[in-house]
């Protein structure tokens, strides 16, 4: 996923990072090398973490050994790309940095397991006089140790983009993908001041993904629902099968493929919706809902499975690239119980009822549309108030 742009020394320029994800088709030897690299990364991570814990218990100080320490006792580490092992050291160091900075929010790093953790490794690109260590060809990606791996590109980078690093991962269904991170300069976008006519208010909805202040409801596509129904039927079949049998493992393979297909469908829907909104509106107001907390309070439905958090993040960076703000309002505000016409706040509004009538002004409200209107009004007021404080300071 592309990262948000950040400032650079160049006048009027911004450094922007874009990630292109391509499908890899490695040979048997290349696939074996990738598998060995996954295992070596887990080995290095677990041994560095174990030594760090032992060193901390003995000396009460934090220290992480480098991967070079383990190559003498584990010569198989020399068979894989050294950059992949170095990146594991950097990841573990970063994990401890954020843990020490905010232990309440970030957990302590844990040991990796082959069955539960994702198979992946990262390698940085280095440019020497002989050429870069990683580069793309017409139908492949050249990597250290592996050589040119056949790949399928859905999008090509621009000629002036600089390749920074690649991340190779293997899905549970056995497919290999490569995420290629590029760095490039773009013109700094002019910040746009939101106006009510060009501002959109959005509210998260369990039944419709989101509801806009205009009354538009973004229902997930029909094919996404059909795929989930197929997954439910396959889960019932799996429960009746004998674990370990040939039919059982064949059903497990289909089960993983459907899960991956649903994730791709959901991701495609999220990117299409976020691009449409970012290109069509100058500002978006949303409530800063904690989806993890919301999922614990909701008994029916899976809040985290909806992908609304990913949608909010996609909307944020796509708006930022055009100089447009994403305004997040307080999640504890009474947006559902407030009348968008007169501003009166009701004691309680039943979530089972879709509409309600304001006893003060008699306005009839759709519960979710009314909440989206209040989110938009609060977001604009919050934005202009912060601008006034910034100018006065």
């Amino acid at each position: 996923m592309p990262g948000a742009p950040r400032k650079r020394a160049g006048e009027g320029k911004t450094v922007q990072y874009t990630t292109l994800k391509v499908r890899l088709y490695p040979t048997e030897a290349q696939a074996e090398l990738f598998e060995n690299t996954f295992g070596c990364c887990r080995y290095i991570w677990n041994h560095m973490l174990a030594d760090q814990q032992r060193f901390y218990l003995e000396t009460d100080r934090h220290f992480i050994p480098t991967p070079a320490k383990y190559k003498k006792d584990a010569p198989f580490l020399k068979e894989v790309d050294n950059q992949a092992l170095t990146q594991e050291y950097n990841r573990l160091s970063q994990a401890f940095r954020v843990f020490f900075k905010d232990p309440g929010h970030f957990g302590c790093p844990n040991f990796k397991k082959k069955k539960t953790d994702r198979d992946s490794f990262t390698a940085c690109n280095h440019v020497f006089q002989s050429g870069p260590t990683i580069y793309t060809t017409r139908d492949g990606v050249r990597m250290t140790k592996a050589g040119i791996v056949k790949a399928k590109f859905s999008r090509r980078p621009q000629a002036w983009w600089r390749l920074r690093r690649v991340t190779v991962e293997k899905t549970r269904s056995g497919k290999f993908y490569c995420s290629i991170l590029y760095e490039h300069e773009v013109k700094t976008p002019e910040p746009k001041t939101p106006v009510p006519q060009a501002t959109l208010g959005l509210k998260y909805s369990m039944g419709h993904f989101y509801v806009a202040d205009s009354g538009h409801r973004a229902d997930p596509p029909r094919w996404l629902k059909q795929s989930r129904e197929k997954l439910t039927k396959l889960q019932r079949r799996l429960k009746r099968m004998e674990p370990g049998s040939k039919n059982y493992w064949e059903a497990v393979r289909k089960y993983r493929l459907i899960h991956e297909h649903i994730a791709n469908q959901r991701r495609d829907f999220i990117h299409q919706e976020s691009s449409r909104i970012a290109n069509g509106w100058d500002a978006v107001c949303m409530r800063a809902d904690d989806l993890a907390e919301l999922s614990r309070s909701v008994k029916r439905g899976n809040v985290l499975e909806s992908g609304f958090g990913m949608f909010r993040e996609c909307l944020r960076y796509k708006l930022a690239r055009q100089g447009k703000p994403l305004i997040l309002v307080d999640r504890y505000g009474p947006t559902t119980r407030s009348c968008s016409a007169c501003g009166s706040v009701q004691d309680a509004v039943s979530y089972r009822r879709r509409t309600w009538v304001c006893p003060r002004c008699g306005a009839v409200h759709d519960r979710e549309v009314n909440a989206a209107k209040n989110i938009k009004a609060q977001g604009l007021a919050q934005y202009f108030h912060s601008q006034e404080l910034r100018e006065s300071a």
Side-chain angles (χ1 to χ4, degrees):
M1 183 182 297
R6 67 180 185 183
K7 285 286 183 181
R8 200 181 183 183
E11 187 67 26
K13 293 288 186 178
T14 299
V15 174
Q16 187 169 281
Y17 294 93
T18 302
T19 301
L20 304 184
K21 190 171 183 179
V22 301
R23 172 81 182 274
L24 296 180
Y25 297 91
T27 61
E28 291 185 6
Q30 290 171 338
E32 183 180 359
L33 176 62
F34 289 160
E35 294 285 356
N36 293 339
T37 307
F38 298 149
C40 290
C41 289
R42 282 193 301 269
Y43 178 90
I44 281 291
W45 175 282
N46 292 337
H47 278 70
M48 288 190 300
L49 181 57
D51 288 345
Q52 186 275 339
Q53 292 179 351
R54 183 170 59 252
F55 187 84
Y56 185 79
L57 290 175
E58 294 174 355
T59 64
D60 200 26
R61 292 185 178 181
H62 170 71
F63 173 74
I64 303 176
T66 60
K69 173 189 173 184
Y70 306 96
K71 290 187 178 181
K72 184 177 180 180
D73 296 331
F76 55 86
L77 295 176
K78 300 178 182 179
E79 300 175 1
V80 302
D81 186 5
N82 182 61
Q83 278 296 313
L85 307 182
T86 304
Q87 289 303 313
E88 289 300 308
Y89 172 81
N90 295 337
R91 286 180 178 178
L92 185 59
S93 301
Q94 176 65 15
F96 273 110
R97 278 195 294 270
V98 296
F99 170 68
F100 292 143
K101 186 177 181 180
D102 189 2
H105 185 74
F106 297 97
C108 184
N110 296 322
F111 292 97
K112 290 187 176 182
K113 298 179 181 179
K114 184 176 181 179
K115 292 184 178 180
T116 56
D117 286 277
R118 187 184 68 163
D119 288 332
S120 68
F121 70 87
T122 300
C124 290
N125 181 31
H126 295 281
V127 181
F128 300 103
Q129 284 186 339
S130 57
T133 57
I134 303 173
Y135 58 85
T136 60
T137 62
R138 186 175 62 87
D139 57 352
V141 181
R142 193 272 177 187
M143 305 180 195
T144 308
K145 300 280 188 178
I148 298 179
V149 185
K150 186 179 179 181
K152 184 178 180 180
F153 294 84
S154 59
R155 179 187 173 190
R156 288 287 179 174
Q158 300 295 329
W160 60 88
W161 290 10
R162 294 182 292 274
L163 196 155
R164 304 299 297 178
R165 64 173 181 260
V166 296
T167 299
V168 178
E169 63 174 330
K170 181 184 177 182
T171 64
R172 298 298 297 274
S173 61
K175 299 177 184 177
F176 288 91
Y177 289 92
C178 180
S179 298
I180 311 173
L181 179 68
Y182 288 95
E183 178 189 64
H184 53 98
E185 290 185 357
V186 295
K187 185 179 178 181
T188 305
E190 292 291 334
K192 294 187 177 181
T193 302
V195 294
Q197 297 80 6
T199 301
L200 183 67
L202 297 181
K203 180 193 178 297
Y204 170 70
S205 173
M206 285 287 295
H208 303 283
F209 191 69
Y210 74 77
V211 176
D213 63 289
S214 61
H216 172 70
R217 291 173 169 82
D219 293 321
R222 182 184 69 258
W223 34 260
L224 183 57
K225 181 180 179 182
Q226 292 173 349
S227 298
R228 286 173 175 166
E229 291 174 353
K230 288 182 181 178
L231 184 65
T232 303
K233 292 180 181 178
L234 189 56
Q235 285 175 324
R236 292 171 182 169
R237 284 180 55 199
L238 271 172
K239 292 188 69 175
R240 295 193 296 265
M241 289 183 178
E242 181 182 353
S245 64
K246 184 177 179 180
N247 290 337
Y248 176 82
W249 288 116
E250 180 64 23
V252 168
R253 189 186 69 84
K254 293 181 180 178
Y255 174 79
R256 291 173 177 173
L257 284 173
I258 294 178
H259 254 300
E260 185 178 320
H261 185 59
I262 290 174
N264 292 335
Q265 288 178 322
R266 181 170 54 241
R267 191 179 300 110
D268 180 68
F269 166 71
I270 287 172
H271 276 291
Q272 288 190 19
E273 280 296 312
S274 57
S275 297
R276 183 184 63 82
I277 294 174
N279 295 332
W281 300 87
D282 290 346
V284 178
C285 301
M286 304 176 70
R287 197 166 58 185
D289 292 320
D290 187 342
L291 299 180
E293 180 181 333
L294 189 61
S295 65
R296 290 190 291 266
S297 61
V298 175
K299 296 181 179 179
R300 295 182 180 181
N302 193 338
V303 177
L304 300 179
E305 190 185 19
S306 66
F308 193 77
M310 179 184 176
F311 170 74
R312 189 165 57 191
E313 179 62 22
C314 289
L315 203 55
R316 181 196 62 78
Y317 81 77
K318 290 179 182 180
L319 288 168
R321 286 188 168 186
Q322 302 180 46
K324 302 174 182 179
L326 174 64
I327 307 168
L328 299 179
V329 303
D330 183 15
R331 57 182 169 140
Y332 295 113
T335 55
T336 304
R337 297 184 291 112
S338 300
C339 176
S340 58
C342 65
S344 62
V345 180
Q346 310 304 312
D347 294 334
V349 175
S350 175
Y351 286 92
R352 296 182 179 181
R353 297 177 58 185
R354 186 169 179 175
T355 60
W356 60 280
V357 181
C358 177
R360 181 177 176 182
C361 65
V364 180
H365 297 294
D366 183 291
R367 180 173 53 83
E368 293 182 322
V369 175
N370 175 71
K373 291 180 179 180
N374 289 327
I375 290 172
K376 175 181 175 179
Q378 290 182 19
L380 289 174
Q382 175 181 310
Y383 176 84
F384 290 114
H385 179 66
S386 63
Q387 291 295 107
E388 291 176 0
L389 292 178
R390 191 175 303 173
E391 292 174 359
S392 62

